[in-house]
Amino acid sequence: MTRVAAVDCGTNSIRLLVADADPATGGLVELDRRMTIVRLGQGVDRTGRLAPEALERTFAACREYAAVIKEHGADAVRFVATSASRDAENRAEFVDGVLDILGVEPEVITGDQEAEFSFTGATKELPGHEERLVVDIGGGSTEFVLGRAHVEAARSVDIGCVRLTERHIRGDPPAPAELAAVRADAEAALDLAAESVPLDGARTLVGLAGTVTTVAGIALGLDAYDSAAIHHARIPYERVAEIARSLAAATHAERAAIPVMHPGRVDVIVAGALVLLAVMERTGAAEVVVSEHDILDGIAWSIAR
């Protein structure tokens, strides 16, 4: 067994997984898993730079995670940074801050690497080897990965719940024209993804990350966020469409009152749900299989190997 610590720093959130991994058996024993909304990608789509307050929120979370990693005595740490830090002119400031706090340099990975980690984390536990399309809706980008035991095709496109919210949504609730603009960007991105990844051939659609798990929690009628109940839940297309319409018509306060809604996701869930709906319509998926295991688990496995 190897005790590993994986950190995934995305556009909206930063997450930590400390686990004991056994490559021989394929087992991953979770010791600590946590998530903090830091909105690292705040304003990046507009300014091209990481905002000072966004960096400080991220560094504060890193200091908390450093204490957890030390407490568990992890043998190895890997810090992966995704869309926002790829796009930022001042990413060196981010890299230096993380290195100072955690003692490891963040790897600003490509979209293809991000897709590979997401696929591994999402599918390692699923039985059988039918073809699966894994869709990871992040804050700044969305990854499409098609494969069976291994990745066969992948594409990362620059749509995500934070990016599209900052680009288009102003109203409370959003105006029809704002929703239409989000949907148009999603459709254009799906056209790009389809150039590399067949979107209509997979038997199973697997959805990852906070947008998908939040929609699943709403669909299941949970009184509080329950990871165990959400993991591997199957949410029909009709229910996703109903929830997307309801979220789009709700005010910020009404969305905040939803029991499974994380406070840091209230303002971006509408754009995220519209992306998920567009994906399901383009793929023709009757349902989405929701996975709580994603890029973070894939990062952990990469360390163990």
Side-chain angles (χ1 to χ4, degrees):
M1 297 282 268
T2 303
R3 181 157 295 182
V4 298
V7 182
D8 166 39
C9 186
T11 302
N12 195 45
S13 64
I14 184 170
R15 300 180 302 146
L16 169 69
L17 171 63
V18 182
D20 287 331
D22 186 348
T25 64
L28 194 69
V29 180
E30 180 179 315
L31 301 175
D32 198 304
R33 187 188 295 261
R34 59 185 66 196
M35 182 270 289
T36 310
I37 299 286
V38 294
R39 197 63 58 84
L40 178 62
Q42 173 192 333
V44 168
D45 192 53
R46 176 177 52 84
T47 67
R49 296 180 61 82
L50 298 168
E53 60 271 29
L55 283 168
E56 183 46 46
R57 289 193 299 267
T58 304
F59 294 155
C62 286
R63 287 187 281 271
E64 174 193 333
Y65 291 0
V68 174
I69 292 167
K70 182 178 180 180
E71 177 186 345
H72 285 289
D75 300 314
V77 181
R78 189 171 190 181
F79 188 114
V80 165
T82 53
S83 178
S85 49
R86 280 202 304 267
D87 300 340
E89 295 173 4
N90 59 333
R91 59 182 175 270
E93 188 178 347
F94 165 71
V95 171
D96 291 345
V98 172
L99 181 60
D100 182 59
I101 296 166
L102 285 168
V104 294
E105 186 170 322
E107 301 172 53
V108 183
I109 62 173
T110 66
D112 287 342
Q113 289 174 303
E114 191 173 345
E116 182 76 37
F117 288 146
S118 294
F119 186 82
T120 300
T123 64
K124 197 168 183 68
E125 297 178 313
L126 295 174
H129 293 295
E130 74 266 20
E131 195 165 52
R132 299 180 175 104
L133 177 64
V134 174
V135 178
D136 186 342
I137 302 173
S141 64
T142 293
E143 282 64 55
F144 297 84
V145 194
L146 184 71
R148 292 181 174 84
H150 302 285
V151 173
E152 298 169 6
R155 183 70 179 265
S156 177
V157 292
D158 283 339
I159 54 169
C161 58
V162 174
R163 191 186 296 272
L164 293 183
T165 298
E166 291 188 347
R167 189 179 291 174
H168 297 301
I169 294 181
R170 302 289 181 271
D172 183 24
E178 296 169 356
L179 301 174
V182 170
R183 185 61 187 250
D185 277 8
E187 293 291 351
L190 284 164
D191 290 340
L192 287 176
E195 294 175 0
S196 305
V197 181
L199 298 181
D200 57 358
R203 286 185 55 192
T204 305
L205 176 67
V206 182
L208 312 184
T211 286
V212 180
T213 57
T214 300
V215 169
I218 297 170
L220 295 171
L222 300 179
D223 293 330
Y225 194 92
D226 184 342
S227 178
I230 290 169
H231 189 48
H232 291 173
R234 294 175 177 268
I235 310 302
Y237 162 77
E238 293 79 9
R239 191 74 179 103
V240 172
E242 178 185 353
I243 290 167
R245 288 192 297 267
S246 175
L247 290 170
T251 64
H252 186 279
E254 289 167 341
R255 295 193 300 273
I258 296 172
V260 298
M261 187 73 66
H262 189 287
R265 203 167 295 283
V266 176
D267 59 333
V268 298
I269 189 63
V270 172
L274 290 176
V275 171
L276 174 59
L277 182 61
V279 168
M280 295 190 73
E281 291 180 351
R282 179 66 67 94
T283 61
E287 63 180 11
V288 58
V289 178
V290 182
S291 178
E292 283 276 5
H293 294 178
D294 50 25
I295 185 173
L296 196 57
D297 302 78
I299 296 166
W301 278 115
S302 74
I303 308 169
R305 285 196 300 268

Short mmCIF file of all heavy atoms in Angstrom, two decimals, residues 137-139 142 159-169 174 178-179 181-183 186 211 215 244 247-248 255 265-278:
data_model
loop_
_atom_site.label_atom_id
_atom_site.label_comp_id
_atom_site.label_asym_id
_atom_site.label_seq_id
_atom_site.Cartn_x
_atom_site.Cartn_y
_atom_site.Cartn_z
N ILE A 137 -17.70 18.26 -16.21
CA ILE A 137 -18.07 19.68 -16.36
C ILE A 137 -17.40 20.47 -15.25
O ILE A 137 -17.81 20.41 -14.09
CB ILE A 137 -19.60 19.86 -16.31
CG1 ILE A 137 -20.26 19.03 -17.42
CG2 ILE A 137 -19.97 21.34 -16.46
CD1 ILE A 137 -21.78 19.01 -17.34
N GLY A 138 -16.36 21.20 -15.60
CA GLY A 138 -15.63 21.96 -14.61
C GLY A 138 -16.06 23.42 -14.57
O GLY A 138 -17.09 23.80 -15.12
N GLY A 139 -15.24 24.24 -13.93
CA GLY A 139 -15.55 25.65 -13.85
C GLY A 139 -15.17 26.40 -15.11
O GLY A 139 -15.87 27.31 -15.55
N THR A 142 -14.69 21.77 -20.02
CA THR A 142 -15.39 20.49 -19.92
C THR A 142 -14.62 19.47 -20.75
O THR A 142 -14.24 19.75 -21.89
CB THR A 142 -16.84 20.61 -20.43
OG1 THR A 142 -17.57 21.46 -19.55
CG2 THR A 142 -17.53 19.26 -20.48
N ILE A 159 -15.69 25.43 -22.12
CA ILE A 159 -16.96 25.80 -21.51
C ILE A 159 -16.96 25.21 -20.11
O ILE A 159 -16.49 24.10 -19.89
CB ILE A 159 -18.19 25.30 -22.30
CG1 ILE A 159 -18.11 23.77 -22.52
CG2 ILE A 159 -18.36 26.06 -23.58
CD1 ILE A 159 -19.39 23.17 -23.04
N GLY A 160 -17.45 25.97 -19.17
CA GLY A 160 -17.54 25.53 -17.78
C GLY A 160 -18.51 26.45 -17.07
O GLY A 160 -18.86 27.52 -17.57
N CYS A 161 -18.93 26.05 -15.88
CA CYS A 161 -19.99 26.79 -15.19
C CYS A 161 -19.56 28.20 -14.80
O CYS A 161 -20.35 29.15 -14.89
CB CYS A 161 -20.49 26.00 -13.99
SG CYS A 161 -19.25 25.59 -12.76
N VAL A 162 -18.30 28.38 -14.39
CA VAL A 162 -17.83 29.71 -14.02
C VAL A 162 -17.62 30.57 -15.26
O VAL A 162 -18.08 31.72 -15.34
CB VAL A 162 -16.52 29.63 -13.21
CG1 VAL A 162 -15.95 31.03 -12.95
CG2 VAL A 162 -16.75 28.92 -11.89
N ARG A 163 -16.94 30.02 -16.26
CA ARG A 163 -16.64 30.77 -17.48
C ARG A 163 -17.92 31.28 -18.14
O ARG A 163 -18.03 32.44 -18.53
CB ARG A 163 -15.84 29.90 -18.45
CG ARG A 163 -15.26 30.67 -19.63
CD ARG A 163 -14.60 29.73 -20.62
NE ARG A 163 -13.46 29.03 -20.07
CZ ARG A 163 -12.21 29.48 -20.09
NH1 ARG A 163 -11.94 30.67 -20.61
NH2 ARG A 163 -11.23 28.76 -19.59
N LEU A 164 -18.92 30.39 -18.29
CA LEU A 164 -20.15 30.79 -18.97
C LEU A 164 -21.01 31.72 -18.13
O LEU A 164 -21.69 32.60 -18.66
CB LEU A 164 -20.95 29.55 -19.37
CG LEU A 164 -20.30 28.66 -20.44
CD1 LEU A 164 -21.22 27.51 -20.81
CD2 LEU A 164 -19.94 29.46 -21.67
N THR A 165 -20.97 31.55 -16.81
CA THR A 165 -21.70 32.48 -15.93
C THR A 165 -21.13 33.88 -16.04
O THR A 165 -21.85 34.87 -16.22
CB THR A 165 -21.65 32.00 -14.47
OG1 THR A 165 -22.29 30.73 -14.36
CG2 THR A 165 -22.35 32.99 -13.54
N GLU A 166 -19.80 34.01 -15.93
CA GLU A 166 -19.17 35.32 -16.00
C GLU A 166 -19.35 35.95 -17.38
O GLU A 166 -19.44 37.17 -17.51
CB GLU A 166 -17.69 35.20 -15.67
CG GLU A 166 -17.42 34.87 -14.21
CD GLU A 166 -15.95 34.95 -13.85
OE1 GLU A 166 -15.11 35.00 -14.77
OE2 GLU A 166 -15.64 34.94 -12.65
N ARG A 167 -19.43 35.11 -18.40
CA ARG A 167 -19.54 35.63 -19.76
C ARG A 167 -20.94 36.13 -20.08
O ARG A 167 -21.11 37.12 -20.79
CB ARG A 167 -19.13 34.51 -20.74
CG ARG A 167 -18.98 34.95 -22.19
CD ARG A 167 -18.57 33.77 -23.05
NE ARG A 167 -17.21 33.32 -22.77
CZ ARG A 167 -16.65 32.24 -23.32
NH1 ARG A 167 -17.37 31.49 -24.14
NH2 ARG A 167 -15.42 31.89 -23.03
N HIS A 168 -21.97 35.48 -19.53
CA HIS A 168 -23.33 35.74 -20.02
C HIS A 168 -24.38 36.08 -18.98
O HIS A 168 -25.35 36.76 -19.30
CB HIS A 168 -23.84 34.52 -20.81
CG HIS A 168 -23.04 34.20 -22.03
ND1 HIS A 168 -22.86 35.09 -23.06
CD2 HIS A 168 -22.36 33.06 -22.38
CE1 HIS A 168 -22.12 34.53 -24.00
NE2 HIS A 168 -21.80 33.32 -23.61
N ILE A 169 -24.27 35.58 -17.76
CA ILE A 169 -25.41 35.69 -16.83
C ILE A 169 -25.28 36.91 -15.93
O ILE A 169 -24.28 37.07 -15.21
CB ILE A 169 -25.55 34.39 -16.01
CG1 ILE A 169 -25.95 33.23 -16.94
CG2 ILE A 169 -26.60 34.57 -14.91
CD1 ILE A 169 -26.15 31.90 -16.25
N PRO A 174 -31.84 34.65 -14.38
CA PRO A 174 -31.28 35.01 -15.69
C PRO A 174 -32.36 35.28 -16.73
O PRO A 174 -33.41 34.62 -16.74
CB PRO A 174 -30.45 33.78 -16.07
CG PRO A 174 -30.17 33.08 -14.77
CD PRO A 174 -31.36 33.34 -13.91
N GLU A 178 -29.91 35.61 -21.92
CA GLU A 178 -28.70 35.14 -21.25
C GLU A 178 -28.61 33.63 -21.29
O GLU A 178 -27.55 33.05 -21.56
CB GLU A 178 -28.67 35.65 -19.80
CG GLU A 178 -28.58 37.17 -19.70
CD GLU A 178 -28.81 37.69 -18.29
OE1 GLU A 178 -29.13 36.87 -17.39
OE2 GLU A 178 -28.71 38.90 -18.09
N LEU A 179 -29.73 32.97 -21.02
CA LEU A 179 -29.76 31.51 -21.08
C LEU A 179 -29.49 31.02 -22.50
O LEU A 179 -28.77 30.03 -22.69
CB LEU A 179 -31.13 31.01 -20.60
CG LEU A 179 -31.52 31.40 -19.17
CD1 LEU A 179 -32.95 30.96 -18.89
CD2 LEU A 179 -30.56 30.78 -18.15
N ALA A 181 -27.67 32.50 -24.72
CA ALA A 181 -26.25 32.70 -25.01
C ALA A 181 -25.40 31.58 -24.41
O ALA A 181 -24.46 31.09 -25.04
CB ALA A 181 -25.79 34.06 -24.48
N VAL A 182 -25.75 31.16 -23.18
CA VAL A 182 -25.05 30.02 -22.56
C VAL A 182 -25.24 28.78 -23.42
O VAL A 182 -24.28 28.04 -23.71
CB VAL A 182 -25.57 29.78 -21.13
CG1 VAL A 182 -25.03 28.46 -20.58
CG2 VAL A 182 -25.18 30.93 -20.21
N ARG A 183 -26.47 28.54 -23.82
CA ARG A 183 -26.77 27.35 -24.62
C ARG A 183 -26.04 27.39 -25.96
O ARG A 183 -25.53 26.37 -26.44
CB ARG A 183 -28.28 27.24 -24.81
CG ARG A 183 -28.74 25.99 -25.53
CD ARG A 183 -28.35 24.74 -24.77
NE ARG A 183 -28.64 23.55 -25.53
CZ ARG A 183 -29.61 22.69 -25.23
NH1 ARG A 183 -30.36 22.87 -24.15
NH2 ARG A 183 -29.80 21.62 -25.96
N ALA A 186 -22.48 26.43 -25.44
CA ALA A 186 -22.40 24.99 -25.18
C ALA A 186 -22.52 24.21 -26.48
O ALA A 186 -21.76 23.25 -26.72
CB ALA A 186 -23.50 24.57 -24.20
N THR A 211 -21.30 20.22 -10.71
CA THR A 211 -22.58 20.47 -11.38
C THR A 211 -23.41 19.20 -11.43
O THR A 211 -24.60 19.20 -11.07
CB THR A 211 -22.35 20.98 -12.81
OG1 THR A 211 -21.89 22.33 -12.77
CG2 THR A 211 -23.63 20.94 -13.63
N VAL A 215 -26.92 18.39 -9.35
CA VAL A 215 -28.16 18.05 -10.05
C VAL A 215 -28.68 16.69 -9.58
O VAL A 215 -29.88 16.50 -9.37
CB VAL A 215 -27.94 18.06 -11.57
CG1 VAL A 215 -29.13 17.44 -12.32
CG2 VAL A 215 -27.70 19.47 -12.07
N ALA A 244 -32.95 21.58 -14.80
CA ALA A 244 -32.29 22.70 -15.48
C ALA A 244 -33.27 23.85 -15.69
O ALA A 244 -32.91 25.02 -15.47
CB ALA A 244 -31.72 22.23 -16.82
N LEU A 247 -33.96 25.50 -12.20
CA LEU A 247 -32.83 26.32 -11.72
C LEU A 247 -32.75 27.63 -12.50
O LEU A 247 -32.48 28.69 -11.93
CB LEU A 247 -31.52 25.53 -11.86
CG LEU A 247 -31.34 24.35 -10.92
CD1 LEU A 247 -30.13 23.53 -11.33
CD2 LEU A 247 -31.18 24.81 -9.46
N ALA A 248 -32.99 27.55 -13.80
CA ALA A 248 -32.90 28.74 -14.64
C ALA A 248 -33.98 29.76 -14.30
O ALA A 248 -33.78 30.97 -14.47
CB ALA A 248 -32.99 28.35 -16.12
N ARG A 255 -32.27 29.34 -5.22
CA ARG A 255 -31.27 28.29 -5.46
C ARG A 255 -30.46 28.03 -4.18
O ARG A 255 -30.12 26.89 -3.87
CB ARG A 255 -30.34 28.69 -6.61
CG ARG A 255 -31.04 28.78 -7.95
CD ARG A 255 -30.05 28.86 -9.10
NE ARG A 255 -29.17 30.00 -9.04
CZ ARG A 255 -29.43 31.21 -9.52
NH1 ARG A 255 -30.60 31.44 -10.11
NH2 ARG A 255 -28.55 32.17 -9.43
N ARG A 265 -21.64 27.31 -5.16
CA ARG A 265 -22.12 26.85 -6.46
C ARG A 265 -23.44 27.52 -6.85
O ARG A 265 -23.93 27.34 -7.97
CB ARG A 265 -22.30 25.32 -6.43
CG ARG A 265 -22.25 24.69 -7.80
CD ARG A 265 -22.11 23.18 -7.72
NE ARG A 265 -20.85 22.79 -7.12
CZ ARG A 265 -19.68 22.81 -7.75
NH1 ARG A 265 -19.62 23.22 -8.99
NH2 ARG A 265 -18.59 22.43 -7.14
N VAL A 266 -24.01 28.31 -5.96
CA VAL A 266 -25.33 28.89 -6.20
C VAL A 266 -25.37 29.72 -7.47
O VAL A 266 -26.31 29.62 -8.27
CB VAL A 266 -25.76 29.76 -5.00
CG1 VAL A 266 -27.08 30.45 -5.27
CG2 VAL A 266 -25.86 28.91 -3.73
N ASP A 267 -24.35 30.54 -7.68
CA ASP A 267 -24.39 31.47 -8.81
C ASP A 267 -23.97 30.85 -10.13
O ASP A 267 -24.20 31.43 -11.19
CB ASP A 267 -23.53 32.71 -8.51
CG ASP A 267 -22.08 32.37 -8.24
OD1 ASP A 267 -21.82 31.24 -7.78
OD2 ASP A 267 -21.20 33.21 -8.48
N VAL A 268 -23.37 29.65 -10.11
CA VAL A 268 -22.88 29.06 -11.36
C VAL A 268 -23.63 27.79 -11.77
O VAL A 268 -23.37 27.24 -12.83
CB VAL A 268 -21.36 28.76 -11.26
CG1 VAL A 268 -20.58 30.04 -11.05
CG2 VAL A 268 -21.05 27.75 -10.16
N ILE A 269 -24.56 27.32 -10.95
CA ILE A 269 -25.23 26.05 -11.22
C ILE A 269 -26.12 26.13 -12.45
O ILE A 269 -26.31 25.13 -13.16
CB ILE A 269 -26.03 25.57 -9.98
CG1 ILE A 269 -26.56 24.14 -10.18
CG2 ILE A 269 -27.18 26.52 -9.68
CD1 ILE A 269 -25.49 23.08 -10.34
N VAL A 270 -26.68 27.29 -12.75
CA VAL A 270 -27.56 27.40 -13.92
C VAL A 270 -26.78 27.10 -15.20
O VAL A 270 -27.20 26.27 -16.02
CB VAL A 270 -28.21 28.80 -14.00
CG1 VAL A 270 -28.95 28.96 -15.32
CG2 VAL A 270 -29.16 29.01 -12.83
N ALA A 271 -25.65 27.75 -15.37
CA ALA A 271 -24.83 27.50 -16.56
C ALA A 271 -24.38 26.05 -16.61
O ALA A 271 -24.40 25.41 -17.67
CB ALA A 271 -23.63 28.44 -16.58
N GLY A 272 -23.98 25.51 -15.46
CA GLY A 272 -23.54 24.12 -15.43
C GLY A 272 -24.64 23.15 -15.82
O GLY A 272 -24.42 22.21 -16.60
N ALA A 273 -25.85 23.37 -15.30
CA ALA A 273 -26.97 22.49 -15.62
C ALA A 273 -27.34 22.58 -17.10
O ALA A 273 -27.71 21.56 -17.72
CB ALA A 273 -28.17 22.84 -14.75
N LEU A 274 -27.23 23.77 -17.69
CA LEU A 274 -27.51 23.92 -19.11
C LEU A 274 -26.48 23.18 -19.96
O LEU A 274 -26.82 22.61 -21.01
CB LEU A 274 -27.56 25.39 -19.49
CG LEU A 274 -28.76 26.18 -18.96
CD1 LEU A 274 -28.64 27.65 -19.33
CD2 LEU A 274 -30.07 25.60 -19.48
N VAL A 275 -25.23 23.17 -19.52
CA VAL A 275 -24.20 22.40 -20.24
C VAL A 275 -24.53 20.91 -20.17
O VAL A 275 -24.48 20.19 -21.17
CB VAL A 275 -22.80 22.68 -19.67
CG1 VAL A 275 -21.78 21.71 -20.26
CG2 VAL A 275 -22.38 24.11 -19.95
N LEU A 276 -24.87 20.43 -18.97
CA LEU A 276 -25.22 19.01 -18.82
C LEU A 276 -26.40 18.65 -19.71
O LEU A 276 -26.40 17.60 -20.38
CB LEU A 276 -25.54 18.71 -17.36
CG LEU A 276 -26.06 17.29 -17.06
CD1 LEU A 276 -25.04 16.23 -17.48
CD2 LEU A 276 -26.41 17.14 -15.58
N LEU A 277 -27.42 19.49 -19.73
CA LEU A 277 -28.59 19.22 -20.56
C LEU A 277 -28.22 19.18 -22.04
O LEU A 277 -28.66 18.29 -22.78
CB LEU A 277 -29.65 20.29 -20.31
CG LEU A 277 -30.97 20.13 -21.06
CD1 LEU A 277 -31.66 18.83 -20.69
CD2 LEU A 277 -31.90 21.32 -20.79
N ALA A 278 -27.38 20.12 -22.48
CA ALA A 278 -26.96 20.14 -23.87
C ALA A 278 -26.18 18.87 -24.24
O ALA A 278 -26.35 18.32 -25.32
CB ALA A 278 -26.10 21.38 -24.14
#
